[in-house]
DNA sequence: GGAATAGTGTCTCTGAGACATTATCTG
DNA sequence: CAGATAATGTCTCAGAGACACTATTCC
């Protein structure tokens, strides 16, 4: 242990975000095509350096706003893990605090100050893409975190707007897990979790029987959890 | 986003460890009484600054060795979360990457270079202690992580030596969760998780029926999980 | 034999999942 | 009416937990 932080211990600290959203029923992640000299034209997760007076969470929100035009109110943030291999960034020692960000109806992306392009990618197509730095690891961990969290928390509603139907909620699970769920059983399960959803009393109208319009309830945990198929 | 890491982004990065071990059947955490001028004589989690060429995990192992005399082979490390509030350390901006460390039969602690004293504390007694910095938050999160991990991973064996009995394994769960488990049901559940434990064919001898001597198996996940009582 | 500890059997209850059935809308 | 989608009912099966019972040692 060293008593005081000295120059030997100073390093750059960054935040990197795995921003997930549903677009026409499929799970997408926000990626930036780098314009900076280092790894130019590689695709990467949005992110940037933490400033001195700024908390890690504030840095994440600032970068979301600068790089993707995403405001504070429209997303849920959760810290994922911190990546600090000495050689993970060719520019020097950079410690990256990674976040998972879930949002509803997020806007199309526009290239920010340091991006050539920015767009939403369907997660199944990412395998064909080479991501910069250790971002493949971070993305994989972020996806797994999101999938796991749907099992035992109510954050699926973060992917939906203020109101939604049971089918739409089920659609979130199906898109994130990449797996079909039986509609009747899902319906019953969600209802029996106290405070997961509340009914507004309103109903949709379209083809088929009208669906109850729901809003997220106060519950945060699902007990017992909704489990993915194990295959 | 900023293109290059500059002086505005440099900050000290530290690791802090929630080191947990069982001592005569109770869960204990390793704490250091600070000798350094800042917050002198407060109790704190062991930890220290990350050096330039060093990975975060290596820094954690080095500090475990320097501050608690704990070697690499005897523990399991898992990254917990990163704490970076601008005012969390009065010495300046310090980003702390926290780890949970689980070990078997860890040695009595001896004060290292920067500690007045070091000792194992039973976790139930920590409430009466004032910990330095945001270490109360970190400790709380570390305990919850350890408790949760016992549910769906086989990590409980990290608290035991190479061999153990079913009672000792159950004792780990009971100590970490602070809750009694029914011996018969626990026995059956552990056996039915493929690869959780292997029998050595040896048996203990003492008072009562001899118990099978077990070793940890190759499995890492428990599916379906062993759940804590919900109260 | 008695105390102590290990391990098994059995019963009940909860909840997941498969699948059939009913309900209510549009065209 | 047919087609579509929402919601409920019913049955089976797996697994958790309570608790009784058997097994094997030491004294």
């Amino acid at each position: 242990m060293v008593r005081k932080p000295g120059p030997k211990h100073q390093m750059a600290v960054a935040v990197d975000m795995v921003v997930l959203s549903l677009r026409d029923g499929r799970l997408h992640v926000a990626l930036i095509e780098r314009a900076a000299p280092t790894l130019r034209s590689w695709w990467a997760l949005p992110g940037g350096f933490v400033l001195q007076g700024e908390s890690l969470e504030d840095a994440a929100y600032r970068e979301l706003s600068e790089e993707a035009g995403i405001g504070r109110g429209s997303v849920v943030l959760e810290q994922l893990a911190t990546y600090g291999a000495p050689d993970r960034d060719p520019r020097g020692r950079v410690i990256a605090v990674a976040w998972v960000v879930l949002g509803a109806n997020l806007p199309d992306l526009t290239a920010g100050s340091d991006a050539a392009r920015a767009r939403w990618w369907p997660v199944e197509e990412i395998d064909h893409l080479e991501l910069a730095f250790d971002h493949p690891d971070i993305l994989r961990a972020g996806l797994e975190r999101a999938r796991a969290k749907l099992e035992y928390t109510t954050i699926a509603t973060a992917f939906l707007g203020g109101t939604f139907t049971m089918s739409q909620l089920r659609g979130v699970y199906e898109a994130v897990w990449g797996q079909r769920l039986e509609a009747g059983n899902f319906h019953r399960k969600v209802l029996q979790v106290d405070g997961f959803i509340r009914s507004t009393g309103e109903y949709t109208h379209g083809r088929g029987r009208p669906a109850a319009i729901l809003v997220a309830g106060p519950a945060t945990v699902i007990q017992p959890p909704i489990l993915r198929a194990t295959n």
Side-chain angles (χ1 to χ4, degrees), chain A:
Chain A
M1 166 115 180
V2 174
R3 287 162 190 255
K4 291 185 174 208
K8 289 270 163 59
H9 312 119
Q10 302 294 313
M11 31 196 96
V13 176
V15 289
D16 283 326
M17 269 81 67
V18 179
V19 188
L20 301 174
S21 191
L22 290 191
R23 303 180 75 76
D24 44 74
R26 293 164 73 203
L27 184 62
H28 286 65
V29 59
L31 294 180
I32 303 291
E33 192 185 44
R34 291 177 59 81
T38 309
L39 293 175
R40 183 192 302 264
S41 88
W42 287 58
W43 289 91
L45 298 173
F49 294 103
V50 178
L51 304 178
Q52 286 299 339
E54 186 181 55
S55 75
L56 300 173
E57 192 170 353
D58 284 345
Y61 276 118
R62 178 176 50 74
E63 291 290 344
L64 279 175
S65 165
E66 289 178 18
E67 296 216 312
I70 293 171
R72 276 185 113 90
S74 52
V75 291
V76 168
L77 256 73
E78 172 167 314
Q79 197 186 298
L80 178 58
T82 297
Y83 295 78
D87 59 351
R88 62 175 292 281
D89 190 319
R91 293 168 296 186
R93 190 75 199 263
V94 178
I95 306 296
V97 181
W99 298 77
V100 178
V101 182
L102 309 182
N105 309 319
L106 295 182
D108 283 337
L109 300 177
T110 52
S113 51
D114 193 42
R117 286 182 291 171
R119 57 161 283 201
W120 291 104
W121 284 87
V123 293
E124 321 92 50
E125 295 179 21
I126 301 292
D127 296 336
H128 312 304
L129 221 59
E130 284 191 306
L131 295 187
F133 309 110
D134 50 5
H135 290 188
D137 295 338
I138 301 177
L139 174 57
R140 196 168 19 247
L143 285 170
E144 176 49 32
R145 175 71 65 90
R147 288 174 178 139
K149 279 256 157 179
L150 289 204
E151 290 193 315
Y152 60 94
T153 75
T154 60
I155 43 158
T157 55
F159 283 109
L160 298 166
T163 64
F164 51 89
T165 67
M166 205 52 97
S167 296
Q168 289 175 315
L169 183 58
R170 179 163 44 83
V172 172
Y173 278 86
E174 293 182 336
V176 175
W177 286 352
Q179 139 184 153
R180 277 336 200 75
L181 299 178
E182 206 281 324
N185 295 334
F186 182 84
H187 189 104
R188 202 183 356 244
K189 173 69 185 178
V190 168
L191 286 183
Q192 98 196 16
V193 176
D194 197 64
F196 191 166
I197 53 92
R198 283 185 8 241
S199 179
T200 60
E202 312 264 310
Y203 288 85
T204 59
H205 53 310
R207 51 172 184 280
R209 175 173 169 177
I213 296 183
L214 313 171
V215 294
T220 58
V221 299
I222 299 177
Q223 180 70 298
I226 306 176
L227 295 176
R228 288 171 279 182
T230 352
N231 339 329

